[in-house]
Structures are given as structure tokens and as C-alpha cells.
Amino acid sequence: MKKILLFILPILIIIGAAFTIFGTIQVRFEEEKLIDDVQRKAKSIAESMELSVKHVLENNDLKNANYLVEKFQTRERLQGCVIYDKEGKVFAITSRFLDWKEKEKPYLREVLQTKEPRGEIEQFKEYTVYSYVLPIVGDNNSVIGLVEVIHDTSYVFTRLAELWRRISSTLIILVVLIVLISMFLHKQIFVLPVLRLTEWFKHFQKGETDANHPIKEKGELGKLASEVEQVALSLRVARKTMSDVASERLQKEELWTETKLRDLINAKLGDNALFVVSNREPFMHVMDEATGTVSCIRPASGVVTAIHPILCACGGTWISHGGGNADKKFVNSKDKLGVPPEDNRYILKRVWLSKEEEDGYYYGFSNEGLWPLCHNTHTRPIFREEDWLMYKKVNQKFADSVLEELPAQSPFIFIQDYHFTLLGEMIKEKRPDAKIALFWHIPWPTPEAFQICPYHKEILEGMLGCDLIGFHVKNHCNNFLDTANRLLESRVDTEKFSVVRSGKETFVRAFPISINGHSDQGGSGAEQQQQIEKLRQEFNLQGMIVGVGVDRIDYTKGIVERILAIDRFLEKNPQYRKKFVFVQLAAPSRTHIKRYHDLIAEIDELVEKKNWKHMDGNWKPILYLKRHFSADEIAPYYAMADLCIVSSLHDGMNLVAKEYVAEKRDCQGILILSQFTGAAREFTDAILVNPYSIEEFADSIRQAIEMPAEEKQKRMRNMRKIVSENNVYRWAANIITDLTALKKV
Ligand code: ADQ
């Protein structure tokens, strides 16, 4: 609309100016004509009276003079007549016009002297009148008096105003017509064809239509349409070729790589791109409010760590909450952007949430309700009705956002985590043909624990809208099947590992998640050595045995227990004082929730207290670095560390354990791992601990330090093999393969 106005505005200005100029000329012309008319009338009346006036003046005949000036009263628009004597004094005047006597009339003297008649517009009281004065010349050629005829001119101005009104109305009608016609033509000539072309492009490049483009005309738009057609065709052909080549290559390669996953996805999904939905976005634009500088960060999140390489490998669209305070500045009109920013490999679509939505759905229901419900850490889950309503509303908002993107045929949607339990069902309602998998990144509790949630039935029904539900470990799958069996009217098929409800079948499988499996952070070996040297110097770590912990600050991660274990280790093994430093990298998260806020304060205080207790000169046992680090920044810490501690009280998988193993290229390190993580099932070569048992935990630190180098190397090699073979590409490949191969009841 704005653009049309910009286009029409100059035309309207020109028309407006033309109307004003021609209008003024016409009004002037009309004015002159009318005044001339009055003038002529006044003149002819005065001249018709000349002889009679001469006669009455010569005879000083007042009676006839009065008769004369009253005689014209009935004339149209004539106000009155005045007869003056040779001195310019009133001799006779029309009786209704007596007030005229009071008016100053300097022009009378002028006419008496020049003997020339005079006609002018005069102001009288609130009226404008036309006065015509004719000198009456006697027989001896001297002026014996004057006759003045006064005409009303107000009708002239009424006529002119009427004329202006007509000109303005015509202008307004013309402007309205021009605007309406322009809008109509703009829509017909430009908007509709472009809309038709856009719609056609959308369908053609997805392979949903084979029809030619809809623009028939040859002009500029026709040329554009032909170019668009070429691009759409090339895109389609490229996809098809990729899919065929992919199927061939897939047979050949052994280890799962980015290329192999890309091939699998092309072969299995073909033209149907992948859609991933998660709460946390893979790239967040954050503005530092103090300096105003914007940075693009990868949030500290296991989900992001795992899913990002998959989308980098095969492209597609990732839909998530735009939570960065500068996120809105970096999206296009469809709320999308290409990521990673420096090398666009896939599309990120940001969904905006209001503060209330984020509070209820994310902080409230997801993280104060479902998160503690699913983690066995004895933190009480809180369920509020208003949070649940907001959770439902936001799930619907995401469902609508996903539905907008889906191609016409069999799309693949991969939903992440406990934030979107209702999404599968909501999408299926509109698109029953969609294939949907949900991956649950956290543990699934027992039915007894899950039924605490007042909305357990709706949640289970929502999840069973999906075709496939994945968990990290078998145990979580079993818990889920038990839960569905006990809390819902459904049939659980223990052979096929599926739940059938209302004739719809959902498969449940364990897919242990992983990372990309090879260290691609932190640069080359030599570069990394330099980074490590720099860190050792910066933090006085030369000659020290270094331990590392890398966590989001979350009560499930057992950070407090870890500090207590380090404290106990030093109490029991004073020979390691001034020889051991534990570096804890900790990213604050969910800080608006009281439990997290309190935990941050608790850890701050505990670190301070234990450092104070053991401090000796420059040395203190815990180096606590509380901030968000990039993956490149974390890598040298892993590589430097002689041991890594993962002490979660309960964890779906835990990717930090895998990252440490992947980064330990020299195999000179050992992992202390909580037995309550999913990772503990795979990493039987780690030192497994119960983080609740501080004594056992403290002893495991000593065991890690004192373990012979060959033993450490052997264990690390085994774990590295597991990570590289069971990397995140295999994980994704397994899910996609299972999802596409599902044979339902
Ligand atoms: P998370 O609970 O987020 O994930 P985790 O698997 O440990 O946990 O992954 C954390 C990620 O954040 C890692 O990639 C780590 O490098 C990064 N990170 C930690 N501290 C950081 C810091 N200070 N700065 C920057 N990055 C930091 C959930 C489940 C897990 C499951 C994953 C994946 O809770 O059990 O393993 O999903 O499924």
C-alpha cells in the first residue's frame, strides 16, 4: 500500500497543482465577467438618468429628484441612487439607502474636478458594493451635479465561491478515482501474477506440480518468470541427482560421516526436507546491553550440540524459540535466516514468544514441572494450571509454525524433547500424512513417578500422536511403555516395542545420542598445544594435575557433590595439595527459576569456602569460571585435563563425557562418570561413581590420578572407538531409517 502511494503521490501532486492553476484562472475570468456586468448595468442606469437629473438640478426640483432616486428601487441588485449638487452634497437619495450619506466619499471631489465618470468597488458596512458616479454637465459646460448608482456585488462572491466548490469536488472525485484505479491495476498487473508465480515456485521446486509457470505475458514479468522457472527446475534436478548418487554411495561407506548421513537422508527422504523442532535455538544473537555489541553464540545445550551437525550435514529447517535479545534483527520477513552465519548450511526459523508465554511454557511447566519430574534428584516438581494452559498454547503456536512450512507430500518432522509433548498430535490433526519422530533427551521416570503430573493423560496422548519416540537407553523405553500401559487405555506390544491406541501405533526405540565423534574444535595439534600453554600460564597451572568439569549450572549435574568430593579428596590425600587443580567451566542457565538462582549462589559460596579452606599461597584447588564458553574455547580445557568429572545425579545421556573423550587425542586422560548417566551404559571403561557417596567419589579422584598411564590409554582408546563408531551421524541415521521403515498395524 505504501509503495502504491509512493507511486501515485507525484501524479496526485501534479493533478492538484494543475487544478489549482486552472481553477484560479477560471475564477479570475468569471470574476472579471461578473464585475464587468455590474459595471455596465450601473453605467447604463446612470446614463439613462443623466437628462432627468440635469433637469431637476437646473430647476432645483427636489420633488422630481426624490421621485427619480426612488424609481429604481425595484431593479434587481440595485441598492440605490444618489443625486449630488455641484458641491458634492446629497441632493436626493433612495430612502432605504439613507445610511450611505454617512460614508466618506473622497472620490466625489475627484469626479467634480475631472468631469470623468468613475466606477469602483466600495466597502460599505459589511457589504461590498459597486459605485458608479456620473458627472452632470450643464449647458455652460460646467459640472452642475453628480449622479451615483450603487449596485450590490455580494452575489459575485457567492458565485465565485460556488465555482471553487465545484472545482474542489471534481478534484476530490478525480483523486479517489485515480487511487482506486491504480490500486486495482497494481493488483491485477503486478501483485496477482507475482503471487501466482510464488505459489507455483513453492510447489514446483518441491516436486508437487509439473505444470509450467502461470505467467503468460512476454514483458519484464515474463522474463522474470522464465528465470524463476530455470532456478526451480535446477533445484529439482539437483535434489533428484543427489538422491540417486546418495543411494549408490550409501552401499559403499563403512563409518558414519557427515557425507554418509547426507546420502542416507537424500536417499530416504528424497525431496522431502527435514524439519527439526526444539525449544533452544542453535544460534542465538545476543546484544551486550553495556556496549551495544551483538554476538552470535551457540547456546550451552546438549540438544544443540547433537542436532546441529545433523542439519549441517543434510540441510533442512530448524524451528525454535528466538530467545536472544537481538534475534529479531537478524531474520528475514518470514522470521528465517541461514546458519551457521559464516557458512549457511540450513535454515533457522525463529518463533517469537511473549514473556508470559515463555514464563508459563518454558520456565514454569517445562522446567519447574516436567524437568524435575523426569530427573530423580528429589527436587519437587511444581505444576500450575496457568503454566499448563500456556504450555498448550505454545505447543499450538509451534504446530502452526511447522504446518506453514510443510511441503504437500509426506514431510518428516523431528521433534526434540519434553517442551513439545503435544506437538505430534497437533500436527497430525492437520497433516496425518506427516512422519513424526520425537526424541526425549532426558530420562523417562517410572509410571508411579509420572502419574504425579496432573496432565499425564493428555501428555501421553500428545506423544502418541508421533510415529516414533526415541529415548537414550532401553530402561527409559521400558519405563515409557509401562507408563502408557498403566496410565492410558492402550495396548503395548512388547515384541514390536510399540503402543497402539485408538488404532494408531507408535514405536518406541532406544537411540543413544552422541556427538560428531571426531575432534574438529580447537584447531590442529600444534595450535592446541599453544592454547593449552597459554591457559596454564594464565591460571598458574604449570606442573599441576588438572581436572575439568563442563556444565550448565543445573541441580541434576551434581556440581555441589563434585566440590564436596574434591574437598574430601584433599582432606584424605594432603600430598596432592598444591599439585591438583580442578577447573570448573559453568554456564548459568534458567536463572529466572528460584531453584537455579539459589543453586548458583550455593555453588559460589561453596567454592569460596572450600578454596579458602585449602588455599596455600597462590594455589587454590578450584578454578571456577562461571560463564558461557564457545566450543572452540572449551576444547583446549578438555585436551589439557588429566581427568574429567561428570557427576550428574541423573542424566539422559550427558554429552560432556563424550566431548572429553573425543578431544583426548593423546589418550592421556581418564573420565570419572556418574553411574546415573545414560553415557555410563556405553562407557564401562570410565571410573563409574555414585555421586551421592562423597567418600567413594573422593576415592575415585585419587584412583584416576594414580591409574597407570597404559591403563588410562587403553581405557581411553576403547571409549574413543565407541564415540567415533557410534557418533551422532549414526544416531540420526538410525532414527531416519527406523522412521521410514515403520510398518504399522
Ligand atoms: P544437557 O542437560 O544440556 O542436555 P549435556 O548432554 O551435558 O546436557 O550437554 C551440555 C552441552 O553444553 C555440552 O555440549 C557442553 O559442551 C555444553 N556446555 C556445558 N557447559 C558449558 C559452558 N560453560 N559454556 C558453553 N557450553 C557449555 C540434555 C540432557 C542430556 C543429553 C543431552 C543430549 O540433559 O542428558 O545428553 O540433552 O541429548
Side-chain angles (χ1 to χ4, degrees):
M1 184 65 190
K2 238 183 182 172
K3 286 210 177 122
I4 310 175
L5 279 183
L6 266 181
F7 166 73
I8 305 177
L9 206 62
I11 300 178
L12 296 184
I13 291 174
I14 292 170
I15 291 179
F19 256 77
T20 316
I21 293 167
F22 289 123
T24 314
I25 293 172
Q26 200 184 342
V27 166
R28 279 270 163 78
F29 180 72
E30 186 69 15
E31 186 181 0
E32 274 168 21
K33 208 175 102 195
L34 291 169
I35 296 289
D36 185 55
D37 188 39
V38 174
Q39 234 167 14
R40 272 189 296 104
K41 279 185 185 156
K43 192 174 168 214
S44 77
I45 293 172
E47 282 169 2
S48 69
M49 289 172 77
E50 189 177 3
L51 267 182
S52 314
V53 174
K54 188 179 169 195
H55 184 74
V56 295
L57 281 174
E58 278 172 351
N59 299 311
N60 206 13
D61 183 355
L62 190 57
K63 190 175 162 219
N64 273 323
N66 281 331
Y67 170 75
L68 260 180
V69 293
E70 297 300 337
K71 185 171 97 178
F72 294 96
Q73 275 214 63
T74 49
R75 286 258 187 137
E76 191 199 359
R77 293 191 195 103
L78 179 68
Q79 295 281 5
C81 279
V82 191
I83 298 171
Y84 302 92
D85 63 16
K86 62 181 178 199
E87 303 294 317
K89 289 197 187 112
V90 175
F91 182 70
I93 184 164
T94 313
S95 56
R96 70 166 180 204
F97 212 59
L98 278 175
D99 288 351
W100 184 253
K101 277 191 191 170
E102 313 306 323
K103 184 176 158 52
E104 284 282 307
K105 294 175 280 277
Y107 52 86
L108 294 182
R109 184 162 304 280
E110 195 186 310
V111 179
L112 284 170
Q113 278 167 7
T114 59
K115 297 184 196 166
E116 288 297 324
R118 172 207 180 260
E120 277 304 331
I121 302 269
E122 289 295 330
Q123 203 61 36
F124 178 56
K125 296 183 181 169
E126 67 270 30
Y127 317 105
T128 329
V129 291
Y130 182 77
S131 134
Y132 186 81
V133 186
L134 182 74
I136 307 294
V137 181
D139 296 335
N140 56 358
N141 206 25
S142 63
V143 177
I144 57 167
L146 305 168
V147 60
E148 183 175 24
V149 175
I150 300 146
H151 249 278
D152 177 16
T153 55
S154 59
Y155 81 101
V156 173
F157 300 101
T158 317
R159 284 259 196 97
L160 294 181
E162 176 58 27
L163 189 60
W164 265 125
R165 246 195 312 281
R166 258 188 281 138
I167 292 170
S168 313
S169 318
T170 316
L171 179 64
I172 289 168
I173 292 168
L174 199 66
V175 165
V176 171
L177 277 178
I178 289 175
V179 170
L180 288 179
I181 291 171
S182 305
M183 280 169 62
F184 175 75
L185 290 179
H186 175 262
K187 195 163 174 193
Q188 291 299 319
I189 297 171
F190 190 68
V191 181
L192 288 181
V194 170
L195 279 181
R196 279 204 300 274
L197 184 63
T198 314
E199 210 40 35
W200 170 86
F201 181 76
K202 247 169 44 192
H203 292 297
F204 185 87
Q205 53 103 8
K206 285 180 190 165
E208 292 162 15
T209 174
D210 286 329
N212 289 339
H213 73 72
I215 307 294
K216 299 285 167 256
E217 68 195 65
K218 291 253 177 312
E220 300 306 319
L221 201 59
K223 282 185 206 156
L224 173 69
S226 311
E227 289 301 319
V228 171
E229 189 172 51
Q230 293 315 309
V231 175
L233 192 64
S234 319
L235 267 174
R236 215 164 113 165
V237 170
R239 279 201 184 159
K240 174 83 180 79
T241 319
M242 263 164 68
S243 169
D244 293 347
V245 174
S247 304
E248 272 174 42
R249 263 209 313 245
L250 212 50
Q251 323 294 330
K252 297 178 196 156
E253 287 183 36
E254 282 299 311
L255 212 76
W256 278 94
T257 57
E258 199 177 315
T259 324
K260 191 170 172 183
L261 176 67
R262 189 181 308 132
D263 288 347
L264 175 103
I265 289 179
N266 283 327
K268 298 273 183 198
L269 307 193
D271 274 356
N272 300 314
L274 184 64
F275 295 88
V276 168
V277 189
S278 76
N279 170 71
R280 179 70 66 228
E281 55 182 336
F283 291 90
M284 190 182 247
H285 286 95
V286 187
M287 190 203 295
D288 180 331
E289 266 150 29
T291 61
T293 48
V294 176
S295 49
C296 181
I297 62 160
R298 291 262 306 277
S301 148
V303 176
V304 168
T305 305
I307 308 292
H308 170 69
I310 297 167
L311 280 196
C312 273
C314 55
T317 305
W318 186 330
I319 300 163
S320 55
H321 169 215
N325 60 2
D327 272 356
K328 285 199 173 152
K329 292 193 177 154
F330 292 85
V331 293
N332 64 16
S333 57
K334 303 252 179 199
D335 299 324
K336 293 180 188 171
L337 70 158
V339 287
E342 68 288 354
D343 169 28
N344 296 177
R345 305 282 284 273
Y346 60 93
I347 291 164
L348 169 61
K349 180 181 184 191
R350 288 172 169 157
V351 175
W352 313 115
L353 298 182
S354 68
K355 239 182 166 24
E356 295 72 43
E357 287 171 337
E358 199 182 354
D359 267 350
Y361 137 85
Y362 178 70
Y363 289 110
F365 195 76
S366 299
N367 287 318
E368 286 190 289
L370 291 179
W371 177 267
L373 180 76
C374 294
H375 287 92
N376 203 356
T377 57
H378 310 286
T379 297
R380 193 172 196 264
I382 302 169
F383 293 106
R384 305 178 194 95
E385 178 71 6
E386 63 268 27
D387 289 349
W388 166 242
L389 294 177
M390 211 46 109
Y391 181 86
K392 287 205 282 193
K393 185 179 164 208
V394 171
N395 268 247
Q396 189 59 59
K397 194 174 202 177
F398 270 83
D400 296 342
S401 179
V402 172
L403 285 164
E404 258 175 29
E405 301 301 316
L406 299 184
Q409 287 155 22
S410 322
F412 287 81
I413 301 148
F414 190 16
I415 302 170
Q416 309 303 314
D417 238 358
Y418 58 102
H419 310 90
F420 297 117
T421 55
L422 311 177
L423 201 57
E425 194 186 24
M426 287 170 169
I427 294 174
K428 280 274 176 159
E429 239 172 54
K430 300 266 164 53
R431 291 295 302 268
D433 63 315
K435 288 225 155 133
I436 306 181
L438 164 69
F439 192 80
W440 195 261
H441 290 260
I442 61 176
W444 187 274
T446 60
E448 292 75 20
F450 192 74
Q451 70 179 344
I452 289 173
C453 173
Y455 317 101
H456 60 259
K457 197 160 165 273
E458 281 145 291
I459 288 181
L460 288 170
E461 279 169 351
M463 290 174 75
L464 291 176
C466 301
D467 302 289
L468 178 67
I469 302 177
F471 295 96
H472 290 300
V473 294
K474 255 292 184 10
N475 200 20
H476 300 157
C477 296
N478 290 335
N479 281 350
F480 181 80
L481 291 176
D482 274 358
T483 310
N485 196 25
R486 298 258 298 274
L487 306 185
L488 268 191
E489 264 180 43
S490 59
R491 178 167 61 81
V492 170
D493 187 330
T494 44
E495 288 290 302
K496 284 164 76 185
F497 250 65
S498 68
V499 184
V500 182
R501 180 174 160 77
S502 316
K504 183 182 177 318
E505 188 168 27
T506 302
F507 290 82
V508 178
R509 297 275 185 277
F511 301 102
I513 206 167
S514 194
I515 54 172
N516 65 11
H518 48 81
S519 159
D520 57 359
Q521 317 291 350
S524 70
E527 246 177 79
Q528 197 169 71
Q529 225 26 66
Q530 276 180 1
Q531 291 169 329
I532 294 174
E533 265 322 300
K534 215 169 138 222
L535 289 178
R536 283 194 185 274
Q537 271 178 18
E538 186 181 348
F539 297 119
N540 274 334
L541 298 174
Q542 280 103 338
M544 293 285 166
I545 300 163
V546 176
V548 73
V550 180
D551 301 84
R552 275 190 309 105
I553 302 180
D554 193 298
Y555 52 84
T556 61
K557 301 293 178 187
I559 302 172
V560 168
E561 287 72 9
R562 193 177 309 172
I563 297 164
L564 294 176
I566 293 166
D567 169 44
R568 187 70 189 120
F569 158 70
L570 289 170
E571 276 178 357
K572 287 172 93 173
N573 303 286
Q575 69 276 22
Y576 286 111
R577 298 172 116 247
K578 300 184 84 169
K579 290 199 177 129
F580 173 77
V581 172
F582 186 75
V583 185
Q584 176 67 54
L585 311 188
S589 76
R590 305 174 192 169
T591 44
H592 299 308
I593 299 175
K594 186 173 181 313
R595 179 74 178 85
Y596 285 79
H597 189 79
D598 293 347
L599 178 69
I600 292 173
E602 185 186 351
I603 295 172
D604 283 352
E605 199 186 320
L606 195 63
V607 169
E608 173 73 28
K609 196 167 139 197
K610 299 303 176 190
N611 271 342
W612 174 251
K613 175 174 162 187
H614 296 286
M615 203 160 99
D616 190 343
N618 271 345
W619 176 83
K620 50 185 183 179
I622 300 167
L623 178 60
Y624 185 46
L625 304 176
K626 190 172 66 176
R627 69 171 172 90
H628 181 274
F629 289 79
S630 70
D632 281 345
E633 282 177 312
I634 297 175
Y637 284 96
Y638 283 140
M640 168 174 68
D642 300 287
L643 61 95
C644 172
I645 303 181
V646 172
S647 54
S648 313
L649 305 181
H650 201 190
D651 217 331
M653 174 55 72
N654 193 286
L655 294 181
V656 171
K658 297 196 171 182
E659 287 170 355
Y660 176 65
V661 167
E663 204 54 57
K664 223 50 208 152
R665 291 178 243 185
D666 59 2
C667 294
Q668 297 288 351
I670 186 81
L671 173 68
I672 299 176
L673 179 62
S674 160
Q675 65 193 70
F676 305 124
T677 59
R681 314 283 159 127
E682 292 174 79
F683 287 162
T684 48
D685 278 303
I687 299 177
L688 297 181
V689 291
N690 171 0
Y692 288 98
S693 166
I694 302 300
E695 284 300 312
E696 180 196 326
F697 197 169
D699 292 344
S700 74
I701 299 177
R702 177 171 177 172
Q703 186 195 348
I705 293 174
E706 295 180 358
M707 187 180 279
E710 313 78 67
E711 169 81 14
K712 281 189 199 167
Q713 278 174 8
K714 195 178 109 218
R715 287 180 180 228
M716 189 54 82
R717 262 198 297 275
N718 290 343
M719 289 193 284
R720 283 175 65 78
K721 186 158 182 282
I722 292 172
V723 174
S724 68
E725 282 177 0
N726 298 307
N727 58 22
V728 78
Y729 303 118
R730 179 185 287 275
W731 175 80
N734 286 341
I735 294 177
I736 304 271
T737 309
D738 274 18
L739 187 61
T740 49
L742 294 180
K743 298 249 178 324
K744 302 212 181 174
V745 284

Coordinates of all heavy atoms in Angstrom, one line a residue, residues 1 4 7 179-196 217 221:
M1 N 0.8 -1.2 0.0 CA 0.0 0.0 0.0 C 0.9 1.3 0.0 O 0.7 2.2 -0.8 CB -0.9 0.0 1.2 CG -1.9 1.1 1.3 SD -3.1 1.0 0.0 CE -3.9 2.5 0.1
I4 N 2.4 1.8 -3.4 CA 1.4 2.3 -4.4 C 1.3 3.8 -4.1 O 1.3 4.6 -5.1 CB 0.0 1.7 -4.3 CG1 0.1 0.2 -4.2 CG2 -0.9 2.1 -5.4 CD1 -1.2 -0.5 -3.9
F7 N 4.0 5.8 -5.5 CA 3.9 5.8 -7.0 C 2.8 6.9 -7.4 O 3.0 7.7 -8.3 CB 3.5 4.4 -7.5 CG 3.1 4.3 -8.9 CD1 4.0 4.5 -9.9 CD2 1.7 4.1 -9.2 CE1 3.5 4.5 -11.3 CE2 1.3 4.0 -10.5 CZ 2.2 4.2 -11.5
V179 N -6.8 6.9 -7.3 CA -6.2 5.9 -6.3 C -6.8 4.5 -6.5 O -6.1 3.5 -6.5 CB -6.5 6.5 -4.9 CG1 -6.1 5.4 -3.8 CG2 -5.7 7.7 -4.6
L180 N -8.2 4.5 -6.6 CA -8.8 3.2 -6.7 C -8.4 2.5 -8.0 O -8.0 1.3 -8.0 CB -10.3 3.4 -6.8 CG -11.0 3.8 -5.4 CD1 -12.5 4.0 -5.5 CD2 -10.6 2.8 -4.3
I181 N -8.3 3.2 -9.1 CA -8.0 2.5 -10.4 C -6.5 2.1 -10.3 O -6.2 0.9 -10.7 CB -8.2 3.5 -11.6 CG1 -9.7 3.7 -11.8 CG2 -7.6 2.9 -12.8 CD1 -10.0 4.7 -12.8
S182 N -5.6 2.9 -9.7 CA -4.2 2.5 -9.6 C -4.1 1.2 -8.7 O -3.3 0.3 -9.1 CB -3.4 3.6 -9.0 OG -3.5 4.8 -9.7
M183 N -4.8 1.2 -7.6 CA -4.7 0.0 -6.7 C -5.2 -1.2 -7.5 O -4.6 -2.3 -7.4 CB -5.5 0.2 -5.5 CG -4.7 1.1 -4.5 SD -5.7 1.6 -3.1 CE -6.2 0.1 -2.4
F184 N -6.3 -1.1 -8.2 CA -6.9 -2.2 -8.9 C -5.9 -2.7 -9.9 O -5.6 -3.9 -10.0 CB -8.2 -1.8 -9.5 CG -8.8 -2.8 -10.4 CD1 -9.4 -3.9 -9.8 CD2 -8.7 -2.8 -11.8 CE1 -10.0 -4.9 -10.6 CE2 -9.2 -3.7 -12.6 CZ -9.9 -4.8 -12.0
L185 N -5.3 -1.7 -10.7 CA -4.4 -2.1 -11.8 C -3.1 -2.7 -11.2 O -2.6 -3.7 -11.7 CB -4.0 -0.9 -12.6 CG -5.2 -0.4 -13.5 CD1 -4.7 0.9 -14.3 CD2 -5.7 -1.4 -14.5
H186 N -2.6 -2.1 -10.1 CA -1.4 -2.6 -9.4 C -1.6 -4.1 -9.0 O -0.8 -4.9 -9.2 CB -1.1 -1.7 -8.2 CG 0.0 -2.2 -7.4 ND1 -0.1 -2.9 -6.2 CD2 1.4 -2.1 -7.6 CE1 1.0 -3.2 -5.7 NE2 2.0 -2.7 -6.5
K187 N -2.8 -4.3 -8.5 CA -3.1 -5.7 -8.0 C -3.2 -6.6 -9.2 O -2.6 -7.7 -9.2 CB -4.4 -5.7 -7.2 CG -4.6 -7.0 -6.5 CD -5.6 -6.8 -5.4 CE -5.8 -8.2 -4.8 NZ -7.0 -8.3 -4.0
Q188 N -3.9 -6.2 -10.3 CA -4.1 -7.1 -11.4 C -2.8 -7.3 -12.2 O -2.5 -8.4 -12.6 CB -5.1 -6.4 -12.4 CG -6.5 -6.4 -11.9 CD -7.1 -7.8 -11.6 OE1 -6.8 -8.7 -12.3 NE2 -7.7 -7.9 -10.4
I189 N -2.0 -6.2 -12.4 CA -0.9 -6.3 -13.3 C 0.3 -6.9 -12.5 O 1.1 -7.6 -13.1 CB -0.5 -4.9 -13.9 CG1 -1.7 -4.4 -14.7 CG2 0.8 -4.9 -14.7 CD1 -1.6 -3.0 -15.2
F190 N 0.5 -6.5 -11.3 CA 1.7 -6.9 -10.6 C 1.5 -7.9 -9.5 O 2.1 -9.0 -9.5 CB 2.3 -5.6 -10.0 CG 3.7 -5.8 -9.5 CD1 4.8 -6.1 -10.4 CD2 4.0 -5.8 -8.1 CE1 6.0 -6.4 -9.9 CE2 5.2 -6.0 -7.6 CZ 6.3 -6.3 -8.5
V191 N 0.7 -7.6 -8.5 CA 0.6 -8.4 -7.3 C 0.1 -9.8 -7.6 O 0.7 -10.8 -7.3 CB -0.4 -7.8 -6.2 CG1 -0.4 -8.6 -5.0 CG2 0.2 -6.4 -5.9
L192 N -1.0 -9.9 -8.3 CA -1.6 -11.3 -8.6 C -0.7 -12.2 -9.4 O -0.4 -13.3 -8.9 CB -3.0 -11.2 -9.2 CG -4.1 -10.6 -8.3 CD1 -5.4 -10.6 -9.0 CD2 -4.2 -11.5 -7.0
P193 N -0.1 -11.7 -10.5 CA 0.9 -12.6 -11.2 C 2.0 -13.0 -10.3 O 2.4 -14.1 -10.3 CB 1.3 -11.7 -12.4 CG 0.3 -10.7 -12.5 CD -0.3 -10.4 -11.2
V194 N 2.6 -12.0 -9.5 CA 3.7 -12.4 -8.6 C 3.3 -13.4 -7.6 O 4.0 -14.4 -7.3 CB 4.3 -11.1 -8.0 CG1 5.4 -11.5 -6.9 CG2 5.0 -10.3 -9.0
L195 N 2.1 -13.3 -7.0 CA 1.6 -14.3 -6.1 C 1.5 -15.6 -6.7 O 1.8 -16.6 -6.1 CB 0.3 -13.8 -5.5 CG 0.3 -12.8 -4.4 CD1 -1.1 -12.5 -3.9 CD2 1.1 -13.3 -3.2
R196 N 0.9 -15.6 -7.9 CA 0.7 -16.9 -8.6 C 2.1 -17.5 -8.9 O 2.2 -18.7 -8.7 CB 0.0 -16.6 -10.0 CG -1.5 -16.5 -9.8 CD -2.3 -16.9 -11.1 NE -1.9 -16.0 -12.2 CZ -2.5 -14.8 -12.4 NH1 -3.5 -14.4 -11.6 NH2 -2.1 -14.1 -13.4
E217 N 2.3 -13.5 -20.1 CA 2.8 -12.4 -20.9 C 4.3 -12.4 -21.2 O 5.0 -13.1 -20.5 CB 2.4 -11.1 -20.1 CG 3.2 -11.0 -18.8 CD 2.7 -9.9 -17.9 OE1 1.5 -10.2 -17.4 OE2 3.3 -8.9 -17.7
L221 N 7.9 -9.1 -16.6 CA 7.4 -10.2 -15.7 C 7.6 -11.6 -16.3 O 8.0 -12.5 -15.6 CB 6.0 -9.9 -15.3 CG 5.5 -10.6 -14.0 CD1 6.3 -10.1 -12.8 CD2 4.0 -10.3 -13.8

